[in-house]
Amino acid sequence: MSKAGALDLASGLGGKINKAEVKSAVDEYEKYHGYYGGKEEARKSNYTDMVNKYYDLATSFYEYGWGESFHFAHRWSGESLRESIKRHEHFLALQLGLKPGMKVLDVGCGIGGPLREISRFSSTSVIGLNNNDYQITRGKELNRLAGVSGTCDFIKADFMKMPFDDNTFDAVYAIEATCHAPDPVGCYKEIYRVLKPGQCFAVYEWCITDHYDPNNATHKRIKDEIELGNGLPDIRSTRQCLQAVKDAGFEVVWDKDLAEDSPLPWYLPLDPSRFSLSSFRLTSVGRMVTRTMVKALEYIGLAPQGSERVSNFLEKAAEGLVEGGK
């Protein structure tokens, strides 16, 4: 997991945003979301600005608490969080049938934890597509430190309009990233376009289940908290996502809700009823310590104004994810 410490967290807060402008960026970001009265249409029409602000504000928190791979994983009994994340990434590579020498695209790659792991696991070259300058800068530094700059790289671009020729890649994957797309069909169509004919796209997608009731005030609040704390324009249903993949031209050869038969729930690292020394920073006690630390760093001027509010809306996301998962 990440070795980032308190000073790394403080120095990274705000990403590429000028430190004096972090507070106003938090104001603008929060106004997009239903939790503060924002509208879905505004989030979708301004998705580039919303998602970029989110990752500028949240990336250092993610790396400090979660590590280099910003995603969940279903989990086996006796398996650590780190082991489950690696297995989750290896499983995706195996499902894609990756082989040495293949050219692979990671759509919405974060700071590159999965692409480094998958490249080493499968002996492939992986390009990470990302529209956030701060994450790309950080990812390239992590590539250098891991010694994988020859096989792993980043391209700054929007996944709704990729700067690649048709039929470029031997395989494409996305891990909890295309949930940021304002139009899933348009996003999946771009993936279909850049993928070589007959090759595969694998995706771990965030979805709401048939248990969600839009007329239930508690369900609506949970959804709003998750969208606020994760930079999402909307959370689509499993059925909507599967139909969007088909509408984009793909044949769905396998799909599964990995939460259904997971021995340990995917939201376990965030569950306040659980305590773990190995992933202490993710526990409710660890998150409280982080919030207190960020408040202190902001007070003494080592962290920009607005940092505590970022910590607070990420905490809202954690609460919503656990409640929604349950």
Side-chain angles (χ1 to χ4, degrees), residues 70 206 313:
F70 300 166
W206 276 32
F313 72 61

Side-chain angles (χ1 to χ4, degrees), residues 246-323:
K246 294 171 185 175
D247 291 346
F250 286 104
E251 173 193 357
V252 176
V253 295
W254 189 75
D255 72 272
K256 181 177 176 59
D257 181 350
L258 294 174
E260 286 183 342
D261 57 3
S262 177
L264 298 176
W266 58 268
Y267 56 80
L268 184 67
L270 302 175
D271 192 332
S273 66
R274 168 192 171 275
F275 184 81
S276 168
L277 287 175
S278 64
S279 51
F280 173 75
R281 292 176 182 178
L282 296 177
T283 65
S284 58
V285 176
R287 299 199 306 270
M288 181 184 69
V289 170
T290 298
R291 291 196 304 276
T292 303
M293 178 182 69
V294 169
K295 183 176 183 178
L297 290 169
E298 185 174 324
Y299 179 77
I300 63 176
L302 287 179
Q305 293 294 309
S307 299
E308 184 185 2
R309 285 169 59 192
V310 178
S311 179
N312 289 340
F313 72 61
L314 292 174
E315 179 61 22
K316 276 291 171 206
E319 293 169 0
L321 288 164
V322 172
E323 196 175 354

Side-chain angles (χ1 to χ4, degrees), residues 143-280:
N143 280 358
R144 184 188 68 78
L145 293 172
V148 297
S149 297
T151 54
C152 299
D153 204 358
F154 297 86
I155 295 259
K156 186 181 188 302
D158 183 346
F159 53 30
M160 299 300 293
K161 35 185 184 286
M162 298 187 198
F164 305 118
D165 293 334
D166 296 358
N167 312 325
T168 296
F169 294 97
D170 299 302
V172 180
Y173 68 84
I175 301 178
E176 298 179 18
T178 48
C179 50
H180 293 294
D183 168 23
V185 176
C187 181
Y188 294 151
K189 278 185 175 179
E190 272 294 90
I191 291 168
Y192 187 89
R193 180 184 67 78
V194 302
L195 184 62
K196 291 179 181 177
Q199 301 305 305
C200 290
F201 165 52
V203 57
Y204 288 134
E205 192 64 275
W206 276 32
C207 304
I208 51 175
T209 69
D210 291 339
H211 295 292
Y212 176 73
D213 178 0
N215 298 312
N216 183 307
T218 299
H219 289 193
K220 181 68 168 60
R221 172 186 57 77
I222 291 169
K223 183 172 179 284
D224 285 345
E225 287 176 349
I226 295 171
E227 289 168 354
L228 165 69
N230 293 280
L232 304 178
D234 187 24
I235 310 176
R236 293 172 279 269
S237 71
T238 303
R239 294 181 188 187
Q240 287 174 314
C241 288
L242 287 170
Q243 188 58 52
V245 169
K246 294 171 185 175
D247 291 346
F250 286 104
E251 173 193 357
V252 176
V253 295
W254 189 75
D255 72 272
K256 181 177 176 59
D257 181 350
L258 294 174
E260 286 183 342
D261 57 3
S262 177
L264 298 176
W266 58 268
Y267 56 80
L268 184 67
L270 302 175
D271 192 332
S273 66
R274 168 192 171 275
F275 184 81
S276 168
L277 287 175
S278 64
S279 51
F280 173 75

Side-chain angles (χ1 to χ4, degrees), residues 33-53:
H33 288 279
Y35 191 83
Y36 291 99
K39 302 298 182 184
E40 180 183 328
E41 294 75 20
R43 293 194 295 276
K44 288 183 175 179
S45 61
N46 297 283
Y47 74 95
T48 300
D49 180 66
M50 181 192 71
V51 175
N52 258 313
K53 278 188 170 65

